Amino acid sequence: MSTRASFRASRSEYMYGAAAPDLFTESGFDYTESRPPRVERDPVPGRINGIFRMVILVSVVIAMVCCLRVGLAAASVGTAIEAETLDAQIEQARSLGSDLEVQQSRLTNSTQLRVSATGLGMVAPESTVTIVLDEDVVVTDTEGDLSFSGTTSAIANQA
């Protein structure tokens, strides 16, 4: 019997009567499942599989070590360049400091000052006078600011 007939038997065409015949239990019906033929494959031996996994693991570890080495090399090159820049700046600052010391000693040399003053047309004074000033009458408050009212009262007390 075909599957079409069994399908019809399972539908509700049999509205009248006791029951539809059970077509699947007949002895003449033979059902075979169609599958492609089984092909026996030789499985990969466990030893080769383990060796393959070990090779992959070692390759991953080597790749990680190489990446780490490249990263550290890049960081050390950057640090070396920065150190050379700092050394150059320190050397430049030392050179500038030496130049400033030479210029300061030249400008404070009394002989050099006399020569420069004479070149500008200046002469030494004939006499010197000392002026003695009275005590300052300007008064400051507790914060160190000038106090106008305190100064006026100090002037009034002096007079």
Side-chain angles (χ1 to χ4, degrees):
M1 183 179 266
S2 70
T3 56
R4 175 178 265 176
S6 65
F7 177 70
R8 286 187 181 172
S10 65
R11 290 191 327 188
S12 61
E13 291 180 10
Y14 292 97
M15 299 176 92
Y16 307 103
D22 191 7
L23 300 177
F24 291 108
T25 58
E26 294 179 8
S27 63
F29 185 83
D30 190 19
Y31 176 78
T32 54
E33 185 176 328
S34 104
R35 285 188 185 171
R38 261 189 155 178
V39 176
E40 294 285 331
R41 287 191 236 165
D42 290 335
V44 178
R47 188 173 190 182
I48 293 176
N49 196 8
I51 291 172
F52 182 69
R53 285 183 181 175
M54 186 63 83
V55 167
I56 289 176
L57 179 67
V58 168
S59 299
V60 168
V61 168
I62 288 173
M64 288 174 54
V65 168
C66 289
C67 288
L68 181 66
R69 186 167 186 256
V70 167
L72 289 175
S76 66
V77 167
T79 304
I81 290 172
E82 189 173 335
E84 287 178 13
T85 304
L86 288 175
D87 286 343
Q89 289 176 350
I90 289 171
E91 187 61 35
Q92 183 182 9
R94 285 181 181 161
S95 173
L96 184 61
S98 297
D99 292 345
L100 288 174
E101 285 180 16
V102 169
Q103 186 178 7
Q104 190 261 345
S105 66
R106 191 178 54 122
L107 291 175
T108 56
N109 187 352
S110 61
T111 307
Q112 182 67 27
L113 285 173
R114 283 191 188 118
V115 170
S116 297
T118 305
L120 292 173
M122 297 181 174
V123 291
E126 293 177 6
S127 65
T128 58
V129 180
T130 305
I131 302 172
V132 179
L133 298 174
D134 294 332
E135 186 180 328
D136 194 9
V137 292
V138 177
V139 178
T140 57
D141 58 7
T142 56
E143 296 175 3
D145 297 329
L146 297 177
S147 172
F148 180 72
S149 60
T151 303
T152 54
S153 63
I155 291 173
N157 289 339
Q158 261 186 352

